[in-house]
Amino acid sequence: MPDPLSRTSASTAGFAEYIEKYSGNIYTLSRLLLGQGAEAEEAAVKSFTELYEPYLRTGCDAQSFSLQCYRECIRHCSLIAQGCKPRISACLSWEDQLVHALRYGLRLSLADIGLILRKNLPELKAQIRQMREQLAAHEAAQPASSLSVG
């Protein structure tokens, strides 16, 4: 008769490896979206906590786990962010902030971002183009600060 504990300990060890592999990016994403406070750490920890039981039941490969992890982090960050001010720019929607954090903060490929956010590449490229225009217009509207040394 197979030992059920050996399966659980092997699954736990696999989960620990995934945590080690992805915790840096997940924590960075939560910091980009929520800032450096306790909220970011809470979102990162909850992301892995929520995935533990499903992982033990079904297991998954590294790519599936990373997608689930990013999505879970985004879910927790969005719940926490509802009561906070935006981190990246007040002129960007939450969806644009996500894309900005994934693309320019984590430097993920468009293909990876598309998988995480479940968007096709043309739609994602259009969103990035619009987001850049919006940020440029917002910056242009800001008063220029002039520093002079005298």
Side-chain angles (χ1 to χ4, degrees):
M1 182 166 133
D3 182 10
L5 290 178
S6 65
R7 182 176 179 265
T8 301
S9 63
S11 293
T12 301
F15 189 78
E17 286 177 25
Y18 283 158
I19 289 175
E20 188 174 321
K21 183 173 182 177
Y22 297 110
S23 62
N25 275 1
I26 296 304
Y27 182 62
T28 300
L29 177 59
S30 63
R31 284 184 49 213
L32 289 168
L33 295 171
L34 300 173
Q36 294 189 19
E39 293 90 1
E41 188 171 333
E42 176 186 341
V45 169
K46 282 185 175 183
S47 300
F48 289 107
T49 304
E50 291 288 325
L51 294 173
Y52 182 68
E53 288 298 324
Y55 177 83
L56 288 181
R57 280 193 306 272
T58 61
C60 60
D61 59 60
Q63 182 172 1
S64 296
F65 185 84
S66 73
L67 288 175
Q68 291 173 357
C69 205
Y70 281 116
R71 289 175 184 153
E72 195 63 34
C73 179
I74 289 168
R75 186 177 77 80
H76 284 290
C77 287
S78 69
L79 292 172
I80 293 169
Q82 290 174 0
C84 303
K85 60 184 178 179
R87 295 296 311 156
I88 296 167
S89 173
C91 73
L92 294 179
S93 69
W94 179 251
E95 288 296 317
D96 287 343
Q97 289 181 51
L98 293 176
V99 172
H100 191 279
L102 293 168
R103 181 68 174 158
Y104 301 108
L106 292 178
R107 301 194 185 284
L108 296 180
S109 71
L110 290 178
D112 287 343
I113 296 169
L115 289 172
I116 292 166
L117 299 178
R118 296 181 176 110
K119 291 187 174 200
N120 63 46
L121 288 181
E123 179 184 9
L124 189 57
K125 287 179 181 181
Q127 182 180 0
I128 289 174
R129 186 173 28 261
Q130 181 182 22
M131 181 182 63
R132 283 183 185 160
E133 291 169 0
Q134 200 171 356
L135 285 172
H138 183 72
E139 263 189 43
Q142 297 297 316
S145 64
S146 60
L147 297 175
S148 61
V149 179

